[in-house]
Amino acid sequence: MLQDKTIAFLVAPEGAEQVELTEPWKAVKQAGGTPKLISTKPGQVQAFNHLDKADSFAVDATVDEVTAADFDGLVLPGGVANPDLLRTDAKAVRFVQDFFQSGKPVAAICHAPWTLIEADAVRGRRLTSWPSLQTDLRNAGATWADEEVVICEGGPNKLVTSRKPDDLKAFCQATVDVLGG
């Protein structure tokens, strides 16, 4: 389903919720795709299980070294610190914006829509997130829904969003379906 497709997974150097990185990563690989870990700094990223350090993962490239043109889609894992760090990095925000401007699919889970807000990519879109982001999303012009997974086609690209780790099964399936076209 994802043969010959390369999917960017953008995370900050620390703070990504590990399961929200590893489960979609596995789903992309199982569907025949090639996931690539992108960050704002080279080396390793430190994932977390909620507030506790989990595993580290090797970065494939930094946002300085790649563009959206190098990929067929983008996955944004959550975690509280991860998107908060990404949204303060202008190059990471531009990288995300480029996926929207080029019409490529994007999938974001949990707190990841904070980065989408900073990229001005939610205005007029319908999505979901961790519940504490709903006011931020509404203030940025989005329609927030309390649903396991939301696929929005009302914009320049397809956008998949989910609320939390409990939604990962539905998120991974929707992400693979959308990335596969």
Side-chain angles (χ1 to χ4, degrees):
M1 193 168 181
L2 296 180
Q3 289 302 114
D4 302 320
K5 293 197 182 235
T6 304
I7 309 303
F9 280 71
L10 176 62
V11 297
E14 65 178 355
E17 186 70 28
Q18 181 160 313
V19 71
E20 294 173 359
L21 170 62
T22 58
E23 290 302 305
W25 186 281
K26 280 192 268 183
V28 165
K29 284 188 78 143
Q30 288 172 349
T34 303
K36 295 286 184 183
L37 189 59
I38 312 304
S39 190
T40 57
K41 295 182 180 173
Q44 300 274 319
V45 295
Q46 176 65 59
F48 279 73
N49 291 325
H50 192 52
L51 299 176
D52 299 321
K53 283 186 177 181
D55 297 322
S56 295
F57 299 90
V59 172
D60 293 307
T62 67
V63 291
D64 293 327
E65 301 168 323
V66 294
T67 68
D70 299 318
F71 302 98
D72 298 291
L74 172 65
V75 176
L76 296 168
V80 178
N82 176 51
D84 197 47
L85 291 169
L86 289 176
R87 69 183 177 162
T88 63
D89 186 291
K91 291 177 183 174
V93 171
R94 261 193 314 281
F95 183 69
V96 172
Q97 287 171 327
D98 288 346
F99 280 87
F100 285 84
Q101 291 167 355
S102 60
K104 294 184 178 185
V106 173
I109 187 167
C110 202
H111 288 78
W114 266 340
T115 307
L116 300 180
I117 291 169
E118 193 64 33
D120 194 24
V122 301
R123 190 173 319 282
R125 305 298 296 263
R126 184 176 182 272
L127 61 156
T128 193
S129 67
W130 185 256
S132 65
L133 275 67
Q134 65 182 295
T135 300
D136 297 337
L137 286 162
R138 287 184 179 123
N139 287 342
T143 300
W144 187 84
D146 186 12
E147 296 174 18
E148 181 178 58
V149 66
V150 174
I151 301 171
C152 178
E153 298 182 25
N157 66 339
K158 289 185 180 180
L159 175 60
V160 178
T161 53
S162 282
R163 301 170 298 192
K164 56 189 173 185
D166 289 347
D167 299 338
L168 274 165
K169 184 176 180 182
F171 177 73
C172 289
Q173 184 62 58
T175 297
V176 167
D177 290 347
V178 167
L179 292 171

